[in-house]
Amino acid sequence: MKIQMIPCLQDNYSYLIIDEKSNVACVVDPSEADPIIEYLENNKIKLKFILNTHHHYDHVGGNKKLKEKYGARVIGYKRDRERIPEIDILLNDQEIWINENFEAKVIYTPGHTLGHVCFYFYKEESVFTGDTLFSLGCGRIFEGTYPQMFDSLMKLKELPQNTKVYCGHEYTKKNSDFCLTYDTKNQNLITKIYDIDAKLKGGLPTIPSTIKDELECNIFLRSNNLETFSKLRDLKDNF
């Protein structure tokens, strides 16, 4: 399997998970269709599935056009059936979705929205976290509660540390500024910031991160209680 990052809109990432043996793919959170279509057509790849982490337009905006062009089936959390456009396959928390060589576990992660899920492709040692976990950050709490978001992040903390984290946006630099402001002596974070700056200077994405990096450097994952997490989330909202 190959994971291909597709930049979309201003700072979104969509991801193609490509079975190179059969030249078919699924896409996670297609913000818009055209960049994805361009890659698929240039590489003669057939799109079979569209996986949505949540219903926000910058994660589902390409659903309809991609479905019409390729006949791809849209997959999402069952409680978001009324909000994810063109949805076909409804999945439950902890359900294992399998189709040929594609295998992913659904992890229900409310907080940012009430229907947010992450897709853990365990064979690829990769998790697609949408707007729940970012590199060095976490999503704003729009529909859920602080306890929900804290619990969602705790679920992701339990994944193997070598798991690669593919999130929905390129927010890493701004997130690193916040982390460093409130975690000034964290040498792992300081080292990671050098790497982030080098990647951005070279025109490269800062994604993927890893669960190990996030445990060592992400101040939200380093928060071991709800009170600290909630205070930090409020501070970040006004940073």
Side-chain angles (χ1 to χ4, degrees):
M1 291 285 188
K2 173 184 177 182
I3 297 173
Q4 178 65 42
M5 182 182 303
I6 309 288
C8 295
L9 303 177
Q10 289 187 326
D11 55 29
N12 278 76
Y13 289 129
S14 298
Y15 301 98
L16 283 167
I17 305 161
I18 304 163
D19 183 344
E20 294 180 287
K21 291 182 180 178
S22 57
N23 242 28
V24 298
C26 51
V27 64
V28 179
D29 287 350
S31 310
E32 52 182 337
D34 290 348
I36 293 156
I37 291 171
E38 181 180 7
Y39 187 90
L40 292 170
E41 295 301 303
N42 288 342
N43 293 276
K44 296 180 172 55
I45 296 167
K46 169 72 172 178
L47 185 68
K48 286 191 69 176
F49 297 101
I50 299 165
L51 281 65
N52 293 138
T53 60
H54 63 297
H55 74 282
H56 284 165
Y57 185 76
D58 63 330
H59 293 256
V60 303
N63 279 19
K64 185 175 181 180
K65 189 171 182 178
L66 290 170
K67 185 173 181 177
E68 287 175 351
K69 183 170 180 64
Y70 297 105
R73 304 188 75 193
V74 177
I75 298 172
Y77 185 51
K78 68 173 185 177
R79 294 184 191 174
D80 254 1
R81 70 181 71 189
E82 303 300 326
R83 303 200 294 180
I84 293 177
E86 307 291 327
I87 193 166
D88 299 296
I89 299 171
L90 308 175
L91 298 180
N92 294 300
D93 182 29
Q94 301 300 304
E95 184 171 347
I96 305 293
W97 171 70
I98 301 176
N99 187 279
E100 296 180 358
N101 290 328
F102 298 118
E103 289 190 33
K105 182 178 183 179
V106 179
I107 304 173
Y108 179 47
T109 54
H112 182 67
T113 69
L114 289 175
H116 200 296
V117 295
C118 298
F119 294 101
Y120 174 39
F121 280 75
Y122 41 86
K123 288 187 175 180
E124 284 67 48
E125 300 177 329
S126 299
V127 63
F128 297 86
T129 58
D131 287 358
T132 295
L133 175 64
F134 296 124
S135 177
L136 302 183
C138 72
R140 286 178 178 267
I141 300 170
F142 286 132
E143 296 178 359
T145 63
Y146 292 92
Q148 283 179 321
M149 181 61 94
F150 182 73
D151 289 345
S152 293
L153 293 174
M154 295 306 103
K155 293 178 187 178
L156 297 176
K157 282 177 70 169
E158 296 303 314
L159 294 176
Q161 291 194 19
N162 64 339
T163 304
K164 294 179 287 294
V165 177
Y166 292 92
C167 58
H169 294 267
E170 181 59 80
Y171 288 164
T172 312
K173 179 58 180 174
K174 186 71 180 290
N175 288 342
S176 74
D177 294 340
F178 177 77
C179 287
L180 192 60
T181 299
Y182 295 98
D183 199 6
T184 56
K185 296 180 181 180
N186 186 335
Q187 289 302 313
N188 290 317
L189 174 61
I190 291 167
T191 299
K192 186 171 177 67
I193 289 172
Y194 283 122
D195 180 61
I196 291 164
D197 289 342
K199 285 179 177 176
L200 294 175
K201 187 176 180 180
L204 299 172
T206 64
I207 309 303
S209 181
T210 64
I211 293 295
K212 181 176 187 293
D213 274 359
E214 298 309 308
L215 290 171
E216 292 176 346
C217 303
N218 186 331
I219 197 167
F220 294 106
L221 289 198
R222 287 165 61 78
S223 303
N224 291 318
N225 61 75
L226 177 60
E227 182 181 6
T228 301
F229 167 78
S230 300
K231 288 178 179 177
L232 286 167
R233 186 58 263 180
D234 284 342
L235 287 167
K236 182 64 166 64
D237 286 344
N238 298 290
F239 185 70

